[in-house]
Amino acid sequence: MDLNLKNKNALVCGSSQGMGKAIAIQLAEMGANVTLFARNLEVLNRVKAELANDGTQEHFAICADFSDPAAVGRAMDEQLSIVKEYHILINNTGGPAPGPANTAASEAFLAAFNQHLINNHQLAQKLIPGMKNAGFGRIINVISTSVKQPLPNLGVSNTVRGAVASWAKTMANELGQFGISVNNVLPGATNTVRLDAIIKNKAAKKGVSIEAMAEEEKSIIPMRRFGEAEEFANVVAFLASPAAAYVTGVSIPVDGGRTSCL
Ligand SMILES: NC(=O)c1ccc[n+]([C@@H]2O[C@H](COP(=O)([O-])OP(=O)(O)OC[C@H]3O[C@@H](n4cnc5c(N)ncnc54)[C@H](OP(=O)(O)O)[C@@H]3O)[C@@H](O)[C@H]2O)c1
């Protein structure tokens, strides 16, 4: 099985911590040249120093706020003047704030739509010409299991995540003929700062301790535990590899079995 990413250039968004960081570490381990992308250059440079390097790999760190599409476009254009062609795009960013859909402000939907869908789309459009030229492309979106089963109290997130999944399936249909796959990987409850915040919020709402809330969450997962960012990154890394060439247009939950639909 060919898992080698040598001479492949990967752009990994939201890679300063959590699942994005774990993905960057794994792709570098497999030989890719990795460009880290988030908001804080100092943190990204620390992550860059952790990435595997066989002496021929070249890693980069670039910055912009994904809620500002113009700034993201400028940062990406600048990077494309250094690395001309990318083969792998990992779309990932912070999740929208929790809360019900029916009371959410229209602005919250618009902001999340910009940060998730428009940002993914803009980056894909900038990288697709290089992928076409190489005859190899992997666009992988980190979304959420909510695209299969909406989650309570994540109204804006559920809505925008669904749009991203639908965008991805459409792009997969259009781009397969160029050797470019587009897939979604859907985290369930995964041990990151984001999960800590969600559990804390739920515990406060229910008036129970954070520990009790975490145990309750685990009890509905067939694996009876939260996932690790590295376990999630393994699935993304496989989809990014040459071995996954015939997989496109799918949404794969990495959730310990929590999603109850088929
Ligand atoms: N963890 C879970 O249990 C879980 C479950 C389902 C879905 N998800 C979703 O999966 C994705 C990754 O989750 P995670 O737990 O790894 O998240 P995380 O630990 O909060 O990391 C998010 C990453 O995105 C970057 N980021 C956030 N906002 C940004 C912005 N406006 N512009 C540029 N970069 C930004 C962050 O870097 P900076 O802040 O330094 O910019 C960070 O690198 C999120 O969308 C999350 O909602 C997570």
Side-chain angles (χ1 to χ4, degrees):
M1 179 158 70
D2 186 0
L3 299 175
N4 194 344
L5 294 180
K6 185 137 192 67
N7 297 321
K8 298 281 191 290
N9 299 324
L11 177 70
V12 186
C13 299
S15 42
S16 62
Q17 62 177 37
M19 286 177 267
K21 177 180 173 183
I23 293 164
I25 288 173
Q26 185 58 54
L27 297 185
E29 201 67 58
M30 290 157 71
N33 304 309
V34 173
T35 300
L36 305 163
F37 200 177
R39 286 172 296 187
N40 187 321
L41 192 58
E42 207 182 313
V43 179
L44 290 176
N45 277 330
R46 281 204 293 272
V47 175
K48 194 172 89 167
E50 286 182 47
L51 300 180
N53 194 328
D54 63 7
T56 66
Q57 287 163 266
E58 199 172 6
H59 304 308
F60 300 87
I62 62 173
C63 276
D65 188 328
F66 297 163
S67 60
D68 180 352
V72 172
R74 282 193 300 274
M76 198 62 239
D77 287 343
E78 202 175 307
Q79 181 61 17
L80 281 169
S81 69
I82 303 165
V83 176
K84 308 278 180 235
E85 236 171 47
Y86 279 85
H87 310 99
I88 299 164
L89 166 61
I90 310 295
N91 280 317
N92 174 48
T93 184
N102 74 88
T103 53
S106 305
E107 291 73 24
F109 285 100
L110 283 173
F113 194 75
N114 251 333
Q115 190 177 333
H116 289 257
L117 193 123
I118 299 302
N119 193 57
N120 294 359
H121 186 61
Q122 176 177 223
L123 290 173
Q125 281 191 320
K126 287 188 183 293
L127 303 197
I128 286 167
M131 293 178 181
K132 279 185 177 171
N133 190 44
F136 180 102
R138 302 282 186 267
I139 299 172
I140 301 168
N141 309 299
V142 176
I143 319 185
S144 164
T145 56
S146 64
V147 306
K148 291 190 176 284
Q149 197 179 321
L151 298 167
N153 204 42
L154 287 172
V156 172
S157 180
N158 290 339
T159 308
V160 172
R161 307 287 196 182
V164 174
S166 192
W167 167 81
K169 183 69 180 168
T170 309
M171 294 286 272
N173 291 342
E174 294 172 2
L175 296 171
Q177 62 188 307
F178 305 108
I180 302 171
S181 66
V182 186
N183 291 298
N184 306 317
V185 189
L186 317 177
T190 313
N191 264 324
T192 68
V193 177
R194 163 83 174 170
L195 182 66
D196 294 345
I198 289 173
I199 302 279
K200 207 170 157 189
N201 184 279
K202 281 187 175 177
K205 266 207 155 92
K206 259 195 145 175
V208 299
S209 71
I210 293 174
E211 293 71 24
M213 195 65 239
E215 284 314 310
E216 190 182 323
E217 293 284 316
K218 288 177 193 169
S219 73
I220 58 163
I221 302 170
M223 293 287 182
R224 296 289 188 274
R225 64 176 178 86
F226 296 143
E228 298 302 329
E230 295 71 23
E231 294 176 299
F232 184 83
N234 290 341
V235 178
V236 173
F238 169 71
L239 289 172
S241 75
Y246 204 52
V247 183
T248 195
V250 300
S251 292
I252 304 178
V254 181
D255 66 350
R258 189 185 67 181
T259 303
S260 62
C261 61
L262 288 174

